Structures are given as C-alpha cells and as structure tokens.
Amino acid sequence: METAIALRRVGAHGQLACLLLPPLLTLLILFVAPISLMAVYGFWAIDENYLIQPSLQLTQYEKIAGDPLYLGTLASSAGMALLTTIGSLALALPLAYYIVRFVSPRWRVLLVLALIVPGWVSVLIRTYSWNLVIGEAGLMNWLLMSAGVIDEPIKLLFTKTSVVIGLIYIYLPYMLVPTYASIERLDNSVLEAAENLGADPFRRFLYVTLPLIAPGIVAGCVITFIPAVGEYVVPNMLGGLKGMMYGNLITTAFSNFDWPFGAALSMVLLASILACLLIVGRFLDVNRSMLGHE
Amino acid sequence: MTRWVLGTFTLLVYAMVYLPIALVVITSFNQDTITTLPIEHLDTRWYAELFQDTKTLQSLWTSLQVGIVSTTVATTLGLLSALAIVRHNFRGKSLFMLLTVMPMLAPGIIMGVSLLLFARYIGFQTGFVAVLLGHVLLSLPYCTFILISSLARFDRSLEEAARGLGAGELSVLWRVTLPGIMPGIIGAALFAFTISIGEFVVSFFLTSAGTTTLPIRIYSIVKVGITPEINAVSTLILVATVLLSATALSLTWSKRN
C-alpha cells in the first residue's frame, strides 16, 4: 500500500522510470557493455604467458588480413549463408504461395504452424537428426543401396553440401514467416487488373506480384542470412574440416585462450553483417524511390 | 496443373521437415547399439539406460533450473518493457525498441563470446548464473514482443472502471491488467522456456565444469560417438517441446479470436 502511494506521488515520469530501468539496464549490461568491451579487446594483445596486454594496436586485425584462411573462411561462410538464403527462399516461396492460393483460411495458419513448431526443437537435436538421413549408415544411403542404385554409400556428410542442407533446415521457418505474411496480404484485385490489361502470368509475377511481396522477401532473407553466417552448431556437427565456417574460427581462437584475436574475429563478423544491412537498406531505398512507393 | 505441381512440392517440403525428426523418434526404439537402418528389434532399452545415466539426468535437472529462473526473469523484464512501450511516449523510444530487437539479430556466437569476455573482465564467475543471464538476454526480445501485442489488444476501459471504483495503481495492475493479459504472459513464458531448454552456443561459452545443461551434455556425447541413448533423450525433449509450444500457441491464439 505504501508503495502504491509512493508510486502515485512520483507520477508518470517515475512510473516510466520504474518500468524502463530494469529492462534497459539488463540490455546495457548484458548486450551493449559486452559488445563494446569486445570492440576494445580487439585492439589488445596477449604476451607469451597468455596475459592480456591492454594497448591500442592493430596486430589482431593485421593477422586477420594477412592470412587468407580468415577472410577466405568468412567469404565461404557468406557464400554458404547465401546458398542457404536462396535455398530456403526457393522452398518457402512456392510453399507459401500454395498455402495462400489453394488452402482454405481455416487450415492456413495450422499448416504454417506445422512448419514453425518443429523449428522450436533444439538446434542441436535438429542438426544431429540429419546424421540419420545423410550419414553413411543413414536413411538415404540405405534406400539407395537396397534399391541397387549405388554400391558404396555416398559420403555426403562432412562436406559443404551437408552444412548447407543443415542450414536450410534450421533457417526455413525464419524465411517462411515473413514471406507467407507478405503473400497473404497480397491484394487479388491488383492481379486481376493486370490480367485484364493483358499481362501473361510471367509478366504478372515479375511486374506486379514481385514488387508487392519484395519487402517480405527481403525481411526473410535478412533474418536468414545474418544468423546463418555466424552459425556454429551446424558446421560443427555436419561440416567436419571441409565444411568449416567462420564461427568455428572464433571458437578455436577462444579455446586457444587468444581472446583478443577471437574478439577481433568477432568484430570483423559484426562489421560485415552491419555492412550487409546498410547495403540492403540503401538498395531498398533506391528501389522504393524508383518504383514510386511511399 | 499449377495446383498439383505446387501441391506435390509443398508435400515434399513437409516431408523434408518431418523426416529427420521422425527418424530420431524411430531409431530411439532400435535395440541395436549402432544407429543403423533397417531396424530389426524394437524396444525401450535405451530409455531404460537413459534413466540409469546420472550425468544426463543431472544435466536435465540443471537445464530445468536454468529454464525456470531465466523464464521468470525474462518474462518479468519483458512485461516491464512492454508496459513502457505500449503505454508511454518517451524520447528515444524507437532507439529503445531497436536495442530490444538487436539480440534477436546478432549471431549467437557473438553474444556467447562477448558475454564470456565481459564476465571474465569484471571478475564474474562463469557457471549457473552466467548461463542463466545469457538465456535471459536471448529470450527477452521474444517475451517483449509477445507481451507488446498482448497489451496492445487489452481493453483499457476495464482499468478505468477499476480506478473509478477506487483501486490504486498497483492493485489495478495486479487485479485487472495482469489477469487480462495472462494468456500472453503464459505464452511469453513458454516461449522463453523453450529457448532456454534448447539453447547451446551461449551456454557453451558461459558454462563451467559444475553446470552442464542438457544440450551441452548431448553435444559432449555426440562428439565422442553417437549412441542410441541420444535418440531417446532427443525424443523426450522433442515431445516436451511440442507439448509446450502447442500450449503456448493455443493460449495466445484463443486471446486473438
């Protein structure tokens, strides 16, 4: 009761402060401060006794730029994440279109949920489950061998392909949700107008549908690509040496106790992601002004 | 024509999503020591072995503890955030919302390593509390956004009525607002719990010898060699996750209709 009176006395400003401060402090302490510290750490170094030497030097970044392993792996991770993004878009787009176009509204949400709920099962378990499908003793090889298509099991596991398959599997729900939402919002009368004006299905898709659902597609691509570039569990469990990704390098630096180097590697990843976001944002702005939207 | 092509395609995607999960469940009942196909004898041997495995059971207990505490903290913080965002206008509001989404966008590994650096720098012991705080950070954005949509739909005239009848601010919050958005609160909590139970990367960096969560335990077993016991654990987690998410969904859903 006393708190209630006290609360009323401090008024709206105090109320807002009471609401805002705990989550704000949490985000500042658990997110902003650690990331900022990591940015500083990247300029530090360790001596031969693995003691941290606070300094302001670019040794770590020079090391990253000097060895093609690091930027090469970053580039191949970006390539794999791009394949993942394209792959999951190729799966999500026709699927979302089918659900919106041919399924009654009652069943639509249920069908979409049926693809999202498995996505809430631990990444570790879902990744591991692909061992049972594409592993040497897995379902795929067993089926192909008992059908007599192949004599030797296909060694698909521990390659880049197996990592991309795993990534598509993990990130499909991320792509599906925004794509589905944008297709569902599509106004059918616009499409009919295009049809009446003589546009064939291909042109209709390219000039009418695509620009309208583009924001959903871009959102899906962004939230798929970003976590996929930095993925650690999937390449670690399905990748082996051939399918290594940038996340594995970061972990290796940290398990070698070379924290400044790990921090610098992480900052390079963060900066690349930020650059991608800025480019996508810029591209969208240009696109919008050209199409005359908004 | 288009309809059948698309329909078949859709069916194949569903098969791709459910096949690996189904294989985990099926092979967990395989009697053989090596996870191979075809399955010759079905039984519950691996479930029996699982319940003898004290290390795995201990890690399940740790996961549950971390999950329950981090869920409570994240849901409470998310509720405060949502109340501030939905009901107040303040300078820097869009910045605050951006800050809230950020942990959802950054790769997990970045948050894992930066939290590890920070913990060591300020002399904070990694282990139970560190893992728990990491999970709070990961689930906070989801809790906040679920509760924002829940609060935005809540009819505020009920609060006015309660105030008119002489209820104080806290009593309005406790007796009117919170019960009104209860489905959203439970939904957010179940979401946070689901994240915490399955989380691996952040826990991997913040864990200590004494705090092994279930995913870390599973990882260490898988790294040494896959035993069918893993399929049994995974099946149990799978069933629990699906039940939890179904409950969370039906609760948030009934509110919407």
Side-chain angles (χ1 to χ4, degrees):
Chain A
M1 199 57 215
E2 272 172 12
T3 16
I5 296 166
L7 261 182
R8 207 174 295 164
R9 198 174 299 153
V10 285
H13 271 289
Q15 230 186 64
L16 178 62
C18 288
L19 294 175
L20 206 53
L21 273 182
L24 183 64
L25 281 178
T26 308
L27 286 168
L28 288 178
I29 295 172
L30 295 182
F31 188 71
V32 178
I35 301 272
S36 315
L37 178 72
M38 195 165 74
V40 177
Y41 241 89
F43 296 109
W44 292 357
I46 49 168
D47 61 16
E48 58 273 20
N49 297 320
Y50 290 100
L51 289 172
I52 306 281
Q53 299 295 320
S55 56
L56 220 164
Q57 49 194 9
L58 289 170
T59 337
Q60 311 301 343
Y61 290 98
E62 278 160 9
K63 190 171 158 193
I64 294 171
D67 189 337
L69 169 72
Y70 301 111
L71 293 182
T73 310
L74 182 60
S76 79
S77 300
M80 283 151 94
L82 196 65
L83 278 178
T84 304
T85 310
I86 296 169
S88 36
L89 184 64
L91 292 182
L93 208 54
L95 181 124
Y97 182 76
Y98 176 80
I99 293 179
V100 173
R101 185 82 175 70
F102 298 114
V103 176
S104 74
R106 273 185 62 200
W107 292 99
R108 274 182 207 165
V109 185
L110 217 60
L111 278 180
V112 175
L113 286 179
L115 286 179
I116 298 172
V117 170
W120 292 348
V121 175
S122 171
V123 179
L124 202 71
I125 293 173
R126 277 184 299 147
T127 309
Y128 156 74
S129 70
W130 275 91
N131 274 301
L132 305 176
V133 182
I134 57 173
E136 261 182 63
L139 179 72
M140 187 189 72
N141 278 320
W142 178 60
L143 284 179
L144 288 176
M145 274 164 74
S146 22
V149 183
I150 49 168
D151 299 325
E152 291 277 300
I154 301 174
K155 291 198 171 88
L156 189 59
L157 202 60
F158 305 127
T159 59
K160 274 188 184 177
T161 319
S162 61
V163 176
V164 173
I165 292 175
L167 287 173
I168 292 178
Y169 187 58
I170 301 294
Y171 291 108
L172 183 62
Y174 289 57
M175 183 62 90
L176 184 71
V177 173
T179 325
Y180 171 79
S182 69
I183 293 183
E184 210 200 12
R185 256 182 271 129
L186 209 60
D187 187 356
N188 258 331
S189 57
V190 185
L191 292 178
E192 280 161 21
E195 197 179 358
N196 292 340
L197 291 169
D200 57 66
F202 178 70
R203 281 172 164 244
R204 220 157 57 208
F205 178 77
L206 198 65
Y207 292 111
V208 184
T209 312
L210 204 56
L212 284 175
I213 61 171
I217 292 179
V218 172
C221 290
V222 168
I223 60 172
T224 305
F225 184 82
I226 292 177
V229 183
E231 180 59 43
Y232 170 69
V233 177
V234 177
N236 197 24
M237 292 186 75
L238 300 178
L241 277 176
K242 276 188 242 165
M244 199 171 62
M245 286 178 80
Y246 196 74
N248 301 66
L249 295 180
I250 297 180
T251 319
T252 309
F254 274 90
S255 48
N256 290 340
F257 294 101
D258 196 347
W259 290 6
F261 187 55
L265 283 172
S266 307
M267 288 316 290
V268 171
L269 176 62
L270 260 189
S272 321
I273 289 172
L274 217 59
C276 285
L277 281 179
L278 287 176
I279 292 170
V280 170
R282 174 67 58 86
F283 173 75
L284 279 188
D285 278 349
V286 173
N287 217 353
R288 258 190 210 138
S289 54
M290 267 166 56
L291 291 167
H293 289 317
E294 282 158 89
Chain B
M1 176 59 191
T2 331
R3 179 175 183 163
W4 294 116
V5 173
L6 278 177
T8 316
F9 182 84
T10 305
L11 212 62
L12 284 175
V13 179
Y14 277 91
M16 186 197 105
V17 169
Y18 281 97
L19 180 74
I21 297 180
L23 277 177
V24 172
V25 177
I26 294 168
T27 48
S28 74
F29 294 104
N30 188 357
Q31 201 191 41
D32 290 332
T33 316
I34 316 159
T35 36
T36 51
L37 294 163
I39 292 164
E40 270 150 19
H41 304 282
L42 290 175
D43 73 1
T44 51
R45 170 187 165 191
W46 297 107
Y47 289 89
E49 300 218 350
L50 173 65
F51 289 113
Q52 303 289 317
D53 182 349
T54 43
K55 273 190 175 175
T56 306
L57 290 180
Q58 179 62 43
S59 69
L60 174 65
W61 176 232
T62 307
S63 273
L64 288 176
Q65 286 174 304
V66 170
I68 289 167
V69 182
S70 71
T71 296
T72 314
V73 177
T75 311
T76 311
L77 290 172
L79 180 64
L80 296 177
S81 266
L83 280 169
I85 289 171
V86 174
R87 302 197 162 173
H88 293 267
N89 274 315
F90 50 93
R91 240 193 297 160
K93 187 171 170 177
S94 51
L95 197 68
F96 177 68
M97 285 181 77
L98 185 70
L99 185 64
T100 309
V101 207
M102 292 274 263
M104 247 160 120
L105 284 177
I109 194 163
I110 298 278
M111 289 199 276
V113 297
S114 66
L115 279 168
L116 172 66
L117 282 178
F118 188 63
R120 286 294 159 83
Y121 188 74
I122 61 171
F124 192 88
Q125 202 69 38
T126 54
F128 187 84
V129 182
V131 171
L132 191 154
L133 289 174
H135 289 191
V136 168
L137 175 67
L138 291 176
S139 34
L140 183 56
Y142 296 94
C143 290
T144 309
F145 285 106
I146 291 173
L147 287 165
I148 283 178
S149 75
S150 205
L151 268 176
R153 280 194 305 261
F154 179 71
D155 184 3
R156 292 198 74 178
S157 57
L158 289 172
E159 294 180 351
E160 289 309 319
R163 268 187 213 109
L165 292 168
E169 280 306 310
L170 273 187
S171 137
V172 168
L173 183 71
W174 191 248
R175 295 200 179 150
V176 182
T177 319
L178 290 190
I181 57 164
M182 201 37 94
I185 295 178
I186 297 175
L190 290 176
F191 215 105
F193 191 74
T194 314
I195 292 176
S196 171
I197 281 291
E199 207 285 325
F200 174 72
V201 180
V202 171
S203 318
F204 179 67
F205 285 101
L206 297 178
T207 192
S208 64
T211 343
T212 309
T213 61
L214 190 55
I216 291 178
R217 171 75 186 150
I218 293 178
Y219 178 77
S220 64
I221 299 178
V222 172
K223 275 280 134 174
V224 176
I226 294 166
T227 66
E229 199 190 309
I230 289 300
N231 297 330
V233 189
S234 307
T235 304
L236 291 181
I237 301 179
L238 213 89
V239 171
T241 316
V242 171
L243 285 181
L244 282 177
S245 352
T247 320
L249 282 173
S250 61
L251 281 171
T252 35
W253 205 343
S254 61
K255 180 74 188 167
R256 201 171 299 161
N257 294 344

